[in-house]
Every structure is written in C-alpha cells, then in structure tokens.
Amino acid sequence: MKKLFGTDGIRGVANRELTPEMAYRIGRICAFLLKEDRASSFIVVGKDTRKSGDMLESAINAGICSSGMDVLDVGILPTPALAYLTRERGAVAGIMISASHNPIEDNGLKIFDASGFKLSDDMEMELERLYFSEDHLPRPRGKDVGKVETDHDAINIYGRFLKEICSDLSGMHVVIDCAHGAAYKLAPELFSALGARITTLNDAPDGTNINVGCGSTNPRLLQETVRETGAMMGLAFDGDADRLIAVDENGEVVDGDLLMLIFSSYLRKKHRLKKNTLVATVMSNGGLDIAAEQNGFKVVRTAVGDRYVLEKMVEGGFNLGGEQSGHIIFSDYVTTGDGILTGLQLARIIKEEGRELSSYRTMLSRLPQVLVNCRVSRKDGWEDSPVFKQALKDAHDRVGPYGRILVRPSGTEPMMRIMVEGEKDESILHNLATELVSILVKELNS
C-alpha cells in the first residue's frame, strides 16, 4: 500500500506533494475515522507561521466540515500547545499544520488523537487505506454540515498552563531564538512573565522566513549573541517549537543527549525519575548509556521519532524521554516534545543548582559519531541490495566491537541518513560513512 506518513506525520512541498486537495481528503477522513461517542464533536486545527498554512488550513477545515464535524480553529501556536488543547478541550482529534524544522517550501500535517497522542501505526495505516480508496464517506447536508469557530485565547490557555508548572526565573538572562516560528510570541512572554531578562532573536515571522538561517537547526546567531551579551544561556526552537537546542554561557551548543542527561540526573536526585529510566532513540550517542550507568539510571532505546519514544514511555511507565535532535518529552505534563517547556525546565535547574550550563558537559563523554545525509530519488529497496549489504557487513567489521552503524530513510525528506559511531578516530568513521553513502546513492539512484 502507498504511504503518506513519515516519522513525524505527513510532509511534502506545499501545493505540489501536499496539495489543498490532499488536505481536504485528510480532513474528511480524520473526521470520519477519529469520531468517537463523545459529548463534543469537533477537531482542533492549528498551524505554524508558513504562508502555505492558510491554504492548507482552509482545505482541511472544509474537509472536516463536509463530514459533518465542527472545527475549532486555534490559529498560530506550537505543536505541543495543539496536542494539549486537543486533550483539554475534549476534542475528537487535533491537526497541526507544520513541517517543523523543514524549509519554507515544505509543510506538513501532524495528527493527534483525543488523548493528545500522535496516531498509532495501525491508525495511520487505516487512514492511508481510506485515502487511497474511493471516497465513499458520508456527506451530510443542511444543518448537519460542520462549522468553523475561532478561539483567539487558545495560545494563552497553554501559556497559563506552562506558567503554573514552572518556577520563578528572576535574575537569569536568557537569549531566545524563535526561528520566526510558532513560538515567536509565547516563548518571550513566558520567560519574561517568570522574571527572566530576555534577549529575543528571530521573532518577526512574515510567512516566508521560518527556520531561515535561524532556530534549532542553525544556532550560529544565537551562539554569537550569548557571547556578546554575557547571557547565562541561549534557547533555540524550531518552526513549531516541539524541539529545543540550547547554548551554554560560552556559546557552545547543548544538544538533546546532554539535555536528557541533565534532566534525568536531576529527576533521579529528586526521586522523580520513574523506574530510573530514560527513553531515547537509536540515534543518541552511546556515551549516554555510559553516563546513565554512572549516574544511577538506565537508557531504553526506540526507533527514531518522538511518537515511538512516547509509546515506549507509556508502555513502560516512564516519564522522561527524547531525541538527540532536541525533542524532549516530560510525560508528567505533556504528550509530545515541547521546546518551550524544555527550555523552562532547563532554566529552572540551572538557577536551582547554581551552576553554569557548561559545567554539565563533563557528565557526558561522547563516543565519536558521524552522521552523513544523502539525497536519493527513492528511499525503498536499500535493504535488499546485495552490494550495499556486503558493504555494510564490511563496515561493521571495520568499526570495531563497540561500534554502531545505523542506516535509515528520512521520514520527512527524500534523503537517506547513515550514522557511524565507535571508539575509532572520527576521520576513520567519516571515511566509512562516506563510502557507504557513495554506494547507497548509486544503488538507489540507478
């Protein structure tokens, strides 16, 4: 069966792969498929700051209404806020229009169920089956057609929730990079309301500048600004603010692995890390496992994607998980990665423990790791290539007994990713990765 979903929803170039027609069909199917016997009968729809969001929003809303369900339009807000509001408002589902950290040309759909969780694999497959089938879904008429209502206070509701669970940050100076994205208003307001002195970057979205030279995937300006202003730390969000990359007082990047180690160690000391376990993906550095053992907790691994992290957290009764890319999930409070909450929690720990952020670096001794991406014309079939399988076997023999090689297709772009990790010199690992990439490109582009 054909696929719509990647590791984080549906994505594509807006108005080419992800068309208004597709969005309309997705809206109709979601209204039909996710409807439950609930007192309410509406779907929450939000978006990031991309210009194409208006186009897709109108199409999704039309599809939902054509199936006889109402829409609660919450406008521009972070993805975790959409997930929170879906659950708190008692909605049937939530649909977030965002391509996260992807370029401006792209857009995407992240779909949440009534509990604020991303759809399961089974539900995604059923949605795909209906999408690629003929449209025989009900078409109500007259008074039974759905309507759209706008909630201008939705983002403030989420802001008040975050403020209630976070503590005073007075005396702190924080630089915030909003990536011209969904956090552009809420993040500075929250940190200021909690007493922090802030310097704000990239908080003027115009529909075309989201993630452009800024945010979690390009923190260069944030690093420079932290050094120039003498701030205690810097925080960079992506376009929909579900991930965070931090910068210490020296302007050095703090990625998701070190963030997870800081949070896990802190929660364990407070006896609040459930089952003394952190959930991370296969992309996290092997040094995280070593550091976990040294600090009295363990790491459980999952496939790439924060929804797989959350599934494992729910399954095992754990309350902290995340990805190296900066998706951090505090399941005591939220059901998805939340960049703003992560930043607030980090600032609180720094203030409470009276330490500089850079001082935590000694906790994590990373194994050398190289990640190489390559663009391909197709992402399927690489597992069946005899040439690549032999090259992969040879590379495993060369990387050493403590090494790892991961090959995976991007869930959001036409790319393959190869990660090589081990106790070898980084130049050796890089050569191995580039050799594998060269072979993979030939196999998949032939």
Side-chain angles (χ1 to χ4, degrees):
M1 188 177 71
K2 296 180 181 178
K3 290 287 293 178
L4 290 175
F5 288 89
T7 54
D8 196 10
I10 301 169
R11 290 192 196 175
V13 175
N15 215 25
R16 189 174 74 188
E17 291 100 14
L18 183 51
T19 63
E21 293 84 358
M22 173 186 279
Y24 171 78
R25 289 285 308 279
I26 295 297
R28 277 182 55 73
I29 294 168
C30 285
F32 171 78
L33 187 60
L34 299 175
K35 185 173 183 178
E36 299 177 5
D37 184 17
R38 305 173 67 88
S40 60
S41 184
F42 65 93
I43 292 177
V44 180
V45 177
K47 60 187 176 183
D48 67 20
T49 58
R50 294 165 204 268
K51 189 176 183 180
S52 60
D54 291 346
M55 171 185 73
L56 297 173
E57 179 185 45
S58 297
I60 289 169
N61 291 353
I64 294 170
C65 291
S66 77
S67 288
M69 192 171 289
D70 295 340
V71 174
L72 182 64
D73 187 341
V74 293
I76 294 173
L77 80 182
T79 288
L82 186 283
Y84 172 82
L85 290 164
T86 298
R87 183 180 72 247
E88 290 301 305
R89 290 296 184 87
V92 169
I95 302 177
M96 180 69 184
I97 305 166
S98 174
S100 193
H101 64 282
N102 279 30
I104 176 62
E105 293 82 7
D106 294 351
N107 216 322
L109 305 176
K110 299 182 181 184
I111 306 172
F112 297 86
D113 65 19
S115 299
F117 293 95
K118 291 177 180 175
L119 299 187
S120 65
D121 287 343
D122 289 343
M123 189 63 76
E124 286 185 355
M125 289 177 63
E126 180 61 11
L127 195 154
E128 288 171 336
R129 185 189 70 79
L130 289 171
Y131 181 85
F132 292 111
S133 303
E134 288 190 43
D135 187 352
H136 296 304
L137 303 183
R139 288 186 176 274
R141 293 165 290 179
K143 65 180 180 59
D144 294 325
V145 171
K147 65 181 184 299
V148 179
E149 293 187 0
T150 302
D151 186 348
H152 297 290
D153 194 44
I155 194 167
N156 296 322
I157 293 171
Y158 187 65
R160 288 193 288 271
F161 161 71
L162 289 181
K163 188 176 179 182
E164 287 172 2
I165 63 174
C166 294
S167 58
D168 178 73
L169 301 178
S170 57
M172 300 195 72
H173 180 196
V174 181
V175 181
I176 300 175
D177 182 348
C178 301
H180 297 305
Y184 80 98
K185 184 177 180 182
L186 180 59
E189 286 181 352
L190 267 174
F191 277 85
S192 293
L194 290 168
R197 178 164 67 93
I198 63 168
T199 300
T200 307
L201 306 175
N202 304 308
D203 62 338
D206 63 9
T208 65
N209 57 1
I210 186 171
N211 298 323
V212 177
C214 59
S216 61
T217 55
N218 194 339
R220 180 185 55 80
L221 178 59
L222 177 66
Q223 294 173 275
E224 293 174 357
T225 306
V226 168
R227 295 189 194 105
E228 291 170 358
T229 62
M232 299 175 71
M233 60 191 294
L235 305 173
F237 306 109
D238 63 344
D240 66 336
D242 67 348
R243 72 167 69 180
L244 171 83
I245 291 297
V247 169
D248 68 22
E249 75 282 358
N250 298 319
E252 299 299 320
V253 169
V254 177
D255 70 0
D257 282 354
L258 183 51
L259 290 173
M260 287 188 285
L261 180 55
I262 292 170
F263 294 134
S264 298
S265 301
Y266 175 82
L267 290 175
R268 188 188 179 282
K269 284 186 290 186
K270 299 292 184 179
H271 306 289
R272 288 166 43 202
L273 182 64
K274 291 182 179 178
K275 299 185 179 181
N276 287 330
T277 299
L278 166 70
V279 181
T281 75
V282 293
M283 295 302 290
S284 281
N285 192 278
L288 184 60
D289 301 82
I290 299 171
E293 184 176 352
Q294 294 170 344
N295 286 275
F297 64 93
K298 63 181 180 179
V299 178
V300 173
R301 301 277 185 153
T302 75
V304 174
D306 66 338
R307 70 190 181 98
Y308 295 116
V309 172
L310 184 60
E311 285 175 6
K312 180 62 70 173
M313 292 169 68
V314 172
E315 175 188 312
F318 312 128
N319 64 337
L320 181 65
E323 297 188 280
Q324 188 182 59
S325 60
H327 289 113
I328 311 293
I329 304 173
F330 296 90
S331 63
D332 289 336
Y333 308 113
V334 294
T335 59
T336 189
D338 191 325
I340 298 178
L341 175 59
T342 301
L344 290 167
Q345 296 283 57
L346 180 63
R348 179 173 65 84
I349 292 173
I350 296 300
K351 180 178 179 181
E352 181 181 322
E353 297 196 336
R355 295 175 60 177
E356 294 181 326
L357 182 52
S358 64
S359 70
Y360 292 89
R361 291 187 180 279
T362 57
M363 296 173 63
L364 180 60
S365 296
R366 300 174 189 269
L367 296 179
Q369 184 184 88
V370 173
L371 176 64
V372 179
N373 299 322
C374 58
R375 289 200 168 269
V376 291
S377 57
R378 60 185 175 89
K379 296 186 286 186
D380 59 309
W382 64 270
E383 307 101 318
D384 303 320
S385 165
V387 174
F388 186 70
K389 282 197 290 187
Q390 183 59 50
L392 196 58
K393 180 180 181 301
D394 294 342
H396 273 294
D397 293 339
R398 293 163 59 191
V399 81
Y402 299 103
R404 293 193 302 148
I405 301 176
L406 297 174
V407 182
R408 71 177 187 90
S410 167
T412 60
E413 299 176 89
M415 299 181 72
M416 294 292 295
R417 310 190 194 282
I418 294 182
M419 187 274 283
V420 181
E421 177 185 279
E423 294 180 302
K424 301 281 188 179
D425 184 87
E426 190 168 324
S427 62
I428 296 175
L429 301 181
H430 189 271
N431 289 338
L432 280 173
T434 52
E435 287 174 19
L436 289 172
V437 161
S438 177
I439 295 169
L440 190 61
V441 167
K442 289 180 181 178
E443 292 296 294
L444 293 183
N445 289 342
S446 59

